[in-house]
Amino acid sequence: MIKYLRMKPIGTHNYFVYILTNKNKTVIYTGVTNDIQRRLFEHKDKEYANKHRFTWKYNCFYLVHIEHFQWIEDAISREKQIKGWNRKKKIELIESENPDWNFLNNDEF
């Protein structure tokens, strides 16, 4: 039996690696998603969030870095790379694009 893969039309692949922080900018969380607005909502929503999750426990709801990828494999690889870095290197990445650590939650992606 042949299985057909459901393919997205060309140009519609959107995957994001993102970094969140808390209000005081003392905690860093890295994640990957295909819908950044939905994912930001899920991290913050009391009804959705499991209170044992890292982002809920440390109030990491503020987007400070985002990268776009066309292929999920590339996004996952980048997420793993960043997660393997020490805090200093993550801070350097954030500050290379967002030196003031502005919260990007309301920006359009």
Side-chain angles (χ1 to χ4, degrees), residues 42-69:
E42 290 171 351
H43 279 298
K44 195 169 185 178
D45 184 61
K46 290 180 185 178
E47 297 299 319
Y48 183 87
N50 176 341
K51 294 189 179 185
H52 300 287
R53 289 184 181 179
F54 183 92
T55 57
W56 184 264
K57 183 176 179 180
Y58 295 101
N59 298 310
C60 290
F61 308 130
Y62 303 98
L63 180 67
V64 290
H65 180 79
I66 188 164
E67 297 178 17
H68 176 259
F69 295 87

Side-chain angles (χ1 to χ4, degrees), residues 1-68:
M1 178 177 203
I2 297 174
K3 291 185 178 181
Y4 292 95
L5 296 176
R6 197 169 163 187
M7 303 291 288
K8 290 184 178 184
I10 293 174
T12 62
H13 299 270
N14 290 302
Y15 303 99
F16 302 93
V17 173
Y18 61 95
I19 298 177
L20 302 178
T21 191
N22 60 346
K23 193 171 187 177
N24 295 324
K25 303 172 185 172
T26 57
V27 180
I28 296 174
Y29 171 85
T30 304
V32 66
T33 185
N34 67 341
D35 185 336
I36 191 66
Q37 296 297 343
R38 174 189 47 86
R39 194 68 184 111
L40 292 173
F41 172 81
E42 290 171 351
H43 279 298
K44 195 169 185 178
D45 184 61
K46 290 180 185 178
E47 297 299 319
Y48 183 87
N50 176 341
K51 294 189 179 185
H52 300 287
R53 289 184 181 179
F54 183 92
T55 57
W56 184 264
K57 183 176 179 180
Y58 295 101
N59 298 310
C60 290
F61 308 130
Y62 303 98
L63 180 67
V64 290
H65 180 79
I66 188 164
E67 297 178 17
H68 176 259

Side-chain angles (χ1 to χ4, degrees), residues 66-89:
I66 188 164
E67 297 178 17
H68 176 259
F69 295 87
Q70 184 173 6
W71 306 108
I72 188 62
E73 295 85 3
D74 295 336
I76 291 170
S77 176
R78 179 65 167 160
E79 178 199 28
K80 288 179 180 179
Q81 178 186 39
I82 293 170
K83 283 186 172 187
W85 290 352
N86 62 33
R87 180 177 176 83
K88 181 180 180 214
K89 192 164 182 177

